[in-house]
Amino acid sequence: MADAVRGPPLVTHSMSYPRAYFDHNATTPIAETVIAGMMDVLRDGFGNASSIHQEGQRARHLVEHARREVARLLHADPKEIVFTSGGTEADNTAIFGAMEASASPRRHFVTTTIEHPAVLHAADRLEQLGVEVTRVGVDASGVVDPQSIRAALRPETVLVSVMHANNETGVIQPVAEISSLCHENRVLFHTDAVQSVGKMKVDVRALDVDFLSLSGHKFFGPKGVGVLFMRKGVACNPLLHGGKHERGRRPGTENVPGIHGLGIAASFAHTALQTEPERIGKLRNELEAALMDSIPNVFINCGGSPRLANTSSVCFPGIEGEPLVIALDLRGFAVSSGAACSSGSVEPSHVLTAIGLSRQDARSCLRISLGPSNTVEQVKELVGALRDATSHLRRLAPTASSPVPV
Ligand code: PLP
């Protein structure tokens, strides 16, 4: 591949710290089986899935096979699976589609302060369009209290959207409980499960959701392809207007290679979920224990809450997250200082301020998100690199240290 196409090489700056990827909540590498399957389809599966000739039939077969794989992963019916261009489009379709399809003048939407921008900014737009929005907050645990959602419901509430697992803290929300109280009040319920699908078992029947969003690139599939689960019989207008693809729910010629890749990733996740969360959870716990042991003045955000097994949000008071990310990058480690989508902005993470961190502490956090390639040795080396980098950065700004909050 030409260098211009390949992009800049991954640089390993130190022989003692081989490069290790600890940013799986930002995105995951594509599994080799997914790459191989997509290459075959790019070459031989170019047909339009709506065409009736053999090329079209082959493309249709690939799309429907992927739909069945995703449905199996979620315990859904294949007819309830709608392919989209990713998690953002799935979230927007559920929110605008359900609000718009509601026949009554019920014009109220409820969400939380810790959602991804794909939901938060959709809520802002709804407000501009005249819909009333309630944003429910969280306490230091990072868990949304179902009773706060109940208290926010009104006779005119159409839809509630609460994420399944938070992308920064990893906190898993009591979605089944919230969904059930929404249904008692005849309110629809959507969950953004972009971070949970592939990292834990997700069963749309047990969660009793009306809508659920997922994204291929968060579980070893390709970018630019996702799914909106839409429970059978639920009314939802399409976000885009065009042809009758996806049973009229999402127009546009299907991205067959991407959908095929997502299907392979779903079947891979189905198997990996039997063992991986336990192994990764042990590794994450060892990482957190070692950080607390070897670095002074460190705390874990929402450490006592139910969390994704792979995610750790760590605060190093007095140290800016961005220079720490760069220091680790130069030593061969990829981590994040917050949600990847908001990096480049100097604003502290809205999730970390929502759980009660000061703006300064929120800027002093790292998100470390593990995946199948991470080993015990890599974790030990990451702890060593963090010990060196934090003591160096604290020496540069010795007065900036603040006490650990209770
Ligand atoms: N929702 C959550 C919780 C996410 O973490 C992300 C991506 O980071 C998205 C939605 C957006 O998904 P996509 O990148 O596929 O648009």
Side-chain angles (χ1 to χ4, degrees):
M1 202 190 294
D3 277 355
V5 177
R6 200 194 294 271
L10 292 176
V11 180
T12 301
H13 284 261
S14 157
M15 292 308 288
S16 58
Y17 292 115
R19 195 140 190 102
Y21 187 74
F22 281 96
D23 201 12
H24 291 81
N25 287 12
T27 195
T28 52
I30 306 191
E32 284 300 330
T33 49
V34 173
I35 296 174
M38 287 180 71
M39 291 300 277
D40 287 347
V41 174
L42 281 166
R43 208 176 292 112
D44 303 324
F46 61 88
N48 184 324
S50 301
S51 302
I52 56 173
H53 47 58
Q54 287 185 30
E55 286 80 357
Q57 294 283 304
R58 174 162 153 68
R60 171 57 53 205
H61 168 80
L62 292 167
V63 169
E64 296 315 317
H65 180 73
R67 199 185 307 281
R68 286 193 293 278
E69 287 298 334
V70 174
R72 187 166 72 104
L73 182 67
L74 301 179
H75 302 261
D77 186 299
K79 290 196 182 78
E80 297 174 310
I81 302 301
V82 179
F83 290 111
T84 67
S85 66
T88 300
E89 187 191 321
D91 285 344
N92 275 260
T93 303
I95 293 168
F96 289 101
M99 293 304 297
E100 213 183 279
S102 143
S104 71
R106 299 156 81 206
R107 307 298 290 159
H108 179 229
F109 172 65
V110 177
T111 189
T112 78
T113 53
I114 56 164
E115 302 296 315
H116 187 270
V119 170
L120 283 181
H121 293 165
D124 295 345
R125 179 65 187 144
L126 280 180
E127 236 167 11
Q128 289 165 0
L129 296 172
V131 173
E132 287 194 65
V133 175
T134 304
R135 298 167 184 84
V136 171
V138 292
D139 62 15
S141 70
V143 180
V144 176
D145 178 0
Q147 293 319 315
S148 320
I149 300 287
R150 189 193 289 279
L153 296 181
R154 302 183 197 161
E156 64 272 20
T157 310
V158 176
L159 178 70
V160 171
S161 180
V162 178
M163 69 199 322
H164 193 198
N166 185 267
N167 41 306
E168 296 188 48
T169 60
V171 171
I172 300 166
Q173 304 300 335
V175 158
E177 206 181 324
I178 296 172
S179 177
S180 129
L181 74 84
C182 287
H183 291 154
E184 278 165 29
N185 289 277
R186 298 166 154 272
V187 171
L188 292 169
F189 182 75
H190 164 249
T191 192
D192 174 341
V194 166
Q195 288 294 342
S196 58
V197 169
K199 300 193 182 98
M200 61 184 278
K201 289 186 181 156
V202 175
D203 179 333
V204 290
R205 301 286 170 239
L207 295 176
D208 192 25
V209 292
D210 300 300
F211 302 99
L212 177 144
S213 311
L214 64 85
S215 175
H217 75 98
K218 304 292 185 180
F219 60 104
F220 311 101
K223 292 172 183 58
V225 60
V227 161
L228 178 62
F229 158 82
M230 259 187 219
R231 191 165 58 76
K232 226 177 272 174
V234 164
C236 183
N237 286 5
L239 189 66
L240 306 173
H241 300 279
K244 297 219 176 317
H245 310 81
E246 297 295 285
R247 299 166 159 258
R249 296 171 297 184
R250 200 282 184 175
T253 303
E254 291 88 344
N255 166 11
V256 182
I259 290 172
H260 180 58
L262 175 61
I264 299 173
S267 116
F268 178 78
H270 200 260
T271 313
L273 280 173
Q274 312 302 326
T275 52
E276 270 302 281
E278 200 184 329
R279 186 191 76 86
I280 290 180
K282 266 183 76 186
L283 213 51
R284 190 272 314 268
N285 294 345
E286 282 165 25
L287 165 72
E288 290 185 346
L291 288 176
M292 305 285 284
D293 267 3
S294 58
I295 303 178
N297 196 13
V298 171
F299 63 92
I300 310 293
N301 292 312
C302 309
S305 302
R307 284 183 299 161
L308 291 172
N310 81 317
T311 307
S312 185
S313 172
V314 193
C315 186
F316 302 90
I319 300 174
E320 287 286 324
E322 295 284 313
L324 199 46
V325 169
I326 294 164
L328 289 173
D329 190 37
L330 295 176
R331 288 166 164 85
F333 297 94
V335 301
S336 162
S337 66
C341 308
S342 61
S343 66
S345 120
V346 287
E347 280 302 294
S349 144
H350 68 280
V351 175
L352 300 177
T353 51
I355 62 169
L357 261 58
S358 67
R359 289 171 65 84
Q360 172 147 11
D361 277 351
R363 274 201 296 262
S364 303
C365 293
L366 287 190
R367 178 185 66 185
I368 303 172
S369 48
L370 291 81
S373 65
N374 297 132
T375 61
V376 175
E377 291 68 37
Q378 285 182 347
V379 164
K380 283 186 186 149
E381 286 168 358
L382 175 62
V383 172
L386 268 166
R387 199 178 40 227
D388 295 350
T390 50
S391 83
H392 177 70
L393 289 169
R394 277 186 174 140
R395 270 200 308 277
L396 293 179
T399 53
S401 278
S402 61
V404 181
V406 276

